[in-house]
Amino acid sequence: ARGGLARDPPPATDVRAPSPFPATATAPPPSLQRKGGHILLQSLSTPSRFQSSPLTPRQSLSCLRSLAEFHAASLGNAPLLTLASRRLSPAGGSYHLRFRNPEEVRRIEESWEGFRRRFWEGMDDIVKQGRGRDWKRLLEKEGVANLGRRMRDMAEWVSDRLTPGAEEEGAVLVHGDFKAMVSE
C-alpha cells in the first residue's frame, strides 16, 4: 500500500456518470471485494468557504435544505438505489447491526446506566439552583431507567426496519457525517 491506501490505481471518474471504479471494471478491485464502499468527493474548502460552528438559523436551514434535496433525489429511484446497494453497500450508514461491534448491543444496558448515572450526577448543581428537578424525575421513571434493556431487546428489529431494500418505500441514499460549509 502506498501511504496506507489500497494498492488499486485511482479510477478515472467522469463527473457526468460518477463511479468509484474504472469504466472498464467488471467487478470492484480486490481490495474492495466483500466490503462496503466509499465515494470520494472533492473538498469544497477554499479561503472563502469554511466549516463554522455554531451555525446561524439561516445557515442551518440551508444545510437542512441541501440534505433534504440530497435524500429526495434518490427517493423512489429503485434503479439508483439498487446500483448503490450492489456497488457500495447493501445497507447504508453505520447503524445496521452487521456493521457494529456485537459488544455494543451486549453492553448497551450497562452503557445506558452509566450515561443515566453521569447525567444524574451532573444535574446536582442545577437542582441546587432550583432548576432541573423535572429531569431527575424523568430519569427515575421505569421506562427511562429500563431504556438500555429495551434498546437491547429491540436492536435487531430496529436495525432491520431502518434498512429498507432498494424497492421499499422510504429507501434513500444516505450520507456520512455532514459538515456545513459556510461562505464568507
Side-chain angles (χ1 to χ4, degrees), residues 124-171:
D124 284 343
D125 289 339
I126 294 171
V127 170
K128 287 175 189 172
Q129 296 170 12
R131 304 176 332 216
R133 287 186 188 93
D134 291 337
W135 281 105
K136 282 206 165 188
R137 280 195 288 273
L138 176 67
L139 291 172
E140 291 173 330
K141 289 187 174 190
E142 183 180 353
V144 175
N146 294 328
L147 184 59
R149 178 184 50 78
R150 293 171 37 221
M151 288 190 296
R152 185 203 64 217
D153 292 348
M154 297 291 294
E156 190 170 338
W157 183 87
V158 170
S159 178
D160 290 341
R161 295 313 172 282
L162 290 176
T163 310
E167 304 278 340
E168 294 180 51
E169 184 178 10

Side-chain angles (χ1 to χ4, degrees), residues 39-118:
I39 296 177
L40 302 177
L41 302 174
Q42 180 179 357
S43 173
L44 297 176
S45 185
T46 67
S48 64
R49 297 186 71 79
F50 55 92
Q51 290 182 355
S52 177
S53 180
L55 298 177
T56 66
R58 183 172 173 216
Q59 291 166 332
S60 297
L61 183 59
S62 176
C63 291
L64 291 173
R65 187 173 290 118
S66 294
L67 289 172
E69 290 171 2
F70 171 81
H71 292 297
S74 62
L75 182 63
N77 188 339
L80 173 66
L81 295 169
T82 300
L83 181 63
S85 176
R86 272 195 324 232
R87 294 190 100 179
L88 299 174
S89 175
S94 61
Y95 54 82
H96 196 280
L97 291 181
R98 76 176 106 173
F99 303 120
R100 308 300 301 187
N101 182 337
E103 285 295 302
E104 290 181 54
V105 174
R106 193 180 68 68
R107 297 183 64 197
I108 201 165
E109 280 185 85
E110 177 186 334
S111 295
W112 171 250
E113 189 51 42
F115 170 82
R116 200 169 75 90
R117 185 184 67 254
R118 287 186 304 277

